[in-house]
mmCIF file with all atom_site columns, all heavy atoms in Angstrom:
data_model
loop_
_atom_site.group_PDB
_atom_site.id
_atom_site.type_symbol
_atom_site.label_atom_id
_atom_site.label_alt_id
_atom_site.label_comp_id
_atom_site.label_asym_id
_atom_site.label_entity_id
_atom_site.label_seq_id
_atom_site.pdbx_PDB_ins_code
_atom_site.Cartn_x
_atom_site.Cartn_y
_atom_site.Cartn_z
_atom_site.occupancy
_atom_site.B_iso_or_equiv
_atom_site.pdbx_formal_charge
_atom_site.auth_seq_id
_atom_site.auth_comp_id
_atom_site.auth_asym_id
_atom_site.auth_atom_id
_atom_site.pdbx_PDB_model_num
ATOM 1  N N   . ALA A 1 10  ? -3.690 5.468   -12.124 1.00 94.00 ? 10  ALA A N   1
ATOM 2  C CA  . ALA A 1 10  ? -4.502 4.261   -12.293 1.00 94.00 ? 10  ALA A CA  1
ATOM 3  C C   . ALA A 1 10  ? -4.400 3.313   -11.111 1.00 94.00 ? 10  ALA A C   1
ATOM 4  O O   . ALA A 1 10  ? -5.272 2.478   -10.912 1.00 94.00 ? 10  ALA A O   1
ATOM 5  C CB  . ALA A 1 10  ? -4.087 3.535   -13.567 1.00 94.00 ? 10  ALA A CB  1
ATOM 6  N N   . THR A 1 12  ? -3.443 2.537   -6.818  1.00 98.00 ? 12  THR A N   1
ATOM 7  C CA  . THR A 1 12  ? -3.510 3.183   -5.506  1.00 98.00 ? 12  THR A CA  1
ATOM 8  C C   . THR A 1 12  ? -2.790 2.341   -4.460  1.00 98.00 ? 12  THR A C   1
ATOM 9  O O   . THR A 1 12  ? -2.970 1.122   -4.396  1.00 98.00 ? 12  THR A O   1
ATOM 10 C CB  . THR A 1 12  ? -4.969 3.407   -5.066  1.00 98.00 ? 12  THR A CB  1
ATOM 11 O OG1 . THR A 1 12  ? -5.664 4.127   -6.089  1.00 98.00 ? 12  THR A OG1 1
ATOM 12 C CG2 . THR A 1 12  ? -5.037 4.192   -3.770  1.00 98.00 ? 12  THR A CG2 1
ATOM 13 N N   . GLY A 1 32  ? -0.024 3.105   12.155  1.00 95.00 ? 32  GLY A N   1
ATOM 14 C CA  . GLY A 1 32  ? -0.496 3.284   10.781  1.00 95.00 ? 32  GLY A CA  1
ATOM 15 C C   . GLY A 1 32  ? -0.353 4.722   10.320  1.00 95.00 ? 32  GLY A C   1
ATOM 16 O O   . GLY A 1 32  ? 0.036  4.995   9.182   1.00 95.00 ? 32  GLY A O   1
ATOM 17 N N   . THR A 1 41  ? 5.661  11.525  2.812   1.00 98.00 ? 41  THR A N   1
ATOM 18 C CA  . THR A 1 41  ? 6.839  12.377  2.654   1.00 98.00 ? 41  THR A CA  1
ATOM 19 C C   . THR A 1 41  ? 7.647  11.943  1.433   1.00 98.00 ? 41  THR A C   1
ATOM 20 O O   . THR A 1 41  ? 8.066  12.778  0.624   1.00 98.00 ? 41  THR A O   1
ATOM 21 C CB  . THR A 1 41  ? 7.709  12.339  3.925   1.00 98.00 ? 41  THR A CB  1
ATOM 22 O OG1 . THR A 1 41  ? 6.939  12.862  5.014   1.00 98.00 ? 41  THR A OG1 1
ATOM 23 C CG2 . THR A 1 41  ? 8.977  13.143  3.761   1.00 98.00 ? 41  THR A CG2 1
ATOM 24 N N   . PRO A 1 47  ? 9.048  9.788   -8.313  1.00 96.00 ? 47  PRO A N   1
ATOM 25 C CA  . PRO A 1 47  ? 8.774  9.818   -9.753  1.00 96.00 ? 47  PRO A CA  1
ATOM 26 C C   . PRO A 1 47  ? 7.533  9.005   -10.159 1.00 96.00 ? 47  PRO A C   1
ATOM 27 O O   . PRO A 1 47  ? 6.939  9.279   -11.201 1.00 96.00 ? 47  PRO A O   1
ATOM 28 C CB  . PRO A 1 47  ? 10.027 9.207   -10.390 1.00 96.00 ? 47  PRO A CB  1
ATOM 29 C CG  . PRO A 1 47  ? 11.076 9.240   -9.341  1.00 96.00 ? 47  PRO A CG  1
ATOM 30 C CD  . PRO A 1 47  ? 10.381 9.270   -8.016  1.00 96.00 ? 47  PRO A CD  1
ATOM 31 N N   . GLY A 1 48  ? 7.122  8.038   -9.350  1.00 96.00 ? 48  GLY A N   1
ATOM 32 C CA  . GLY A 1 48  ? 5.972  7.199   -9.679  1.00 96.00 ? 48  GLY A CA  1
ATOM 33 C C   . GLY A 1 48  ? 4.614  7.788   -9.325  1.00 96.00 ? 48  GLY A C   1
ATOM 34 O O   . GLY A 1 48  ? 3.582  7.141   -9.507  1.00 96.00 ? 48  GLY A O   1
ATOM 35 N N   . THR A 1 68  ? -1.421 -2.082  8.247   1.00 96.00 ? 68  THR A N   1
ATOM 36 C CA  . THR A 1 68  ? -2.031 -2.669  7.068   1.00 96.00 ? 68  THR A CA  1
ATOM 37 C C   . THR A 1 68  ? -1.807 -1.774  5.848   1.00 96.00 ? 68  THR A C   1
ATOM 38 O O   . THR A 1 68  ? -2.023 -0.575  5.907   1.00 96.00 ? 68  THR A O   1
ATOM 39 C CB  . THR A 1 68  ? -3.536 -2.891  7.307   1.00 96.00 ? 68  THR A CB  1
ATOM 40 O OG1 . THR A 1 68  ? -3.696 -3.673  8.501   1.00 96.00 ? 68  THR A OG1 1
ATOM 41 C CG2 . THR A 1 68  ? -4.178 -3.607  6.152   1.00 96.00 ? 68  THR A CG2 1
ATOM 42 N N   . ALA A 1 99  ? 5.611  0.593   -7.292  1.00 98.00 ? 99  ALA A N   1
ATOM 43 C CA  . ALA A 1 99  ? 6.190  0.747   -8.627  1.00 98.00 ? 99  ALA A CA  1
ATOM 44 C C   . ALA A 1 99  ? 6.186  -0.582  -9.375  1.00 98.00 ? 99  ALA A C   1
ATOM 45 O O   . ALA A 1 99  ? 5.865  -0.629  -10.570 1.00 98.00 ? 99  ALA A O   1
ATOM 46 C CB  . ALA A 1 99  ? 7.609  1.307   -8.528  1.00 98.00 ? 99  ALA A CB  1
ATOM 47 N N   . TYR A 1 101 ? 4.119  -3.046  -8.913  1.00 98.00 ? 101 TYR A N   1
ATOM 48 C CA  . TYR A 1 101 ? 2.712  -3.327  -9.204  1.00 98.00 ? 101 TYR A CA  1
ATOM 49 C C   . TYR A 1 101 ? 2.244  -2.532  -10.426 1.00 98.00 ? 101 TYR A C   1
ATOM 50 O O   . TYR A 1 101 ? 1.629  -3.078  -11.332 1.00 98.00 ? 101 TYR A O   1
ATOM 51 C CB  . TYR A 1 101 ? 1.884  -2.988  -7.971  1.00 98.00 ? 101 TYR A CB  1
ATOM 52 C CG  . TYR A 1 101 ? 0.418  -3.302  -8.064  1.00 98.00 ? 101 TYR A CG  1
ATOM 53 C CD1 . TYR A 1 101 ? -0.040 -4.610  -7.996  1.00 98.00 ? 101 TYR A CD1 1
ATOM 54 C CD2 . TYR A 1 101 ? -0.526 -2.279  -8.167  1.00 98.00 ? 101 TYR A CD2 1
ATOM 55 C CE1 . TYR A 1 101 ? -1.393 -4.894  -8.037  1.00 98.00 ? 101 TYR A CE1 1
ATOM 56 C CE2 . TYR A 1 101 ? -1.879 -2.553  -8.206  1.00 98.00 ? 101 TYR A CE2 1
ATOM 57 C CZ  . TYR A 1 101 ? -2.307 -3.873  -8.146  1.00 98.00 ? 101 TYR A CZ  1
ATOM 58 O OH  . TYR A 1 101 ? -3.646 -4.152  -8.192  1.00 98.00 ? 101 TYR A OH  1
ATOM 59 N N   . GLY A 1 107 ? -0.240 -7.411  -12.676 1.00 95.00 ? 107 GLY A N   1
ATOM 60 C CA  . GLY A 1 107 ? -0.357 -7.024  -11.280 1.00 95.00 ? 107 GLY A CA  1
ATOM 61 C C   . GLY A 1 107 ? 0.106  -8.096  -10.318 1.00 95.00 ? 107 GLY A C   1
ATOM 62 O O   . GLY A 1 107 ? 0.055  -7.910  -9.101  1.00 95.00 ? 107 GLY A O   1
ATOM 63 N N   . PRO A 1 115 ? 9.922  -6.268  -2.432  1.00 97.00 ? 115 PRO A N   1
ATOM 64 C CA  . PRO A 1 115 ? 10.904 -5.726  -1.482  1.00 97.00 ? 115 PRO A CA  1
ATOM 65 C C   . PRO A 1 115 ? 10.834 -6.482  -0.153  1.00 97.00 ? 115 PRO A C   1
ATOM 66 O O   . PRO A 1 115 ? 9.757  -6.933  0.259   1.00 97.00 ? 115 PRO A O   1
ATOM 67 C CB  . PRO A 1 115 ? 10.467 -4.273  -1.310  1.00 97.00 ? 115 PRO A CB  1
ATOM 68 C CG  . PRO A 1 115 ? 9.636  -3.961  -2.504  1.00 97.00 ? 115 PRO A CG  1
ATOM 69 C CD  . PRO A 1 115 ? 8.990  -5.254  -2.907  1.00 97.00 ? 115 PRO A CD  1
ATOM 70 N N   . ARG A 1 119 ? 7.840  -9.318  1.648   1.00 96.00 ? 119 ARG A N   1
ATOM 71 C CA  . ARG A 1 119 ? 7.918  -10.737 1.273   1.00 96.00 ? 119 ARG A CA  1
ATOM 72 C C   . ARG A 1 119 ? 7.113  -11.600 2.235   1.00 96.00 ? 119 ARG A C   1
ATOM 73 O O   . ARG A 1 119 ? 6.864  -12.761 1.960   1.00 96.00 ? 119 ARG A O   1
ATOM 74 C CB  . ARG A 1 119 ? 9.364  -11.191 1.214   1.00 96.00 ? 119 ARG A CB  1
ATOM 75 C CG  . ARG A 1 119 ? 10.075 -10.606 0.018   1.00 96.00 ? 119 ARG A CG  1
ATOM 76 C CD  . ARG A 1 119 ? 11.435 -11.177 -0.185  1.00 96.00 ? 119 ARG A CD  1
ATOM 77 N NE  . ARG A 1 119 ? 12.053 -10.487 -1.307  1.00 96.00 ? 119 ARG A NE  1
ATOM 78 C CZ  . ARG A 1 119 ? 13.342 -10.316 -1.437  1.00 96.00 ? 119 ARG A CZ  1
ATOM 79 N NH1 . ARG A 1 119 ? 14.172 -10.817 -0.536  1.00 96.00 ? 119 ARG A NH1 1
ATOM 80 N NH2 . ARG A 1 119 ? 13.819 -9.669  -2.474  1.00 96.00 ? 119 ARG A NH2 1
#
Side-chain angles (χ1 to χ4, degrees):
T12 306
T41 298
T68 305
Y101 184 74
R119 288 188 183 151

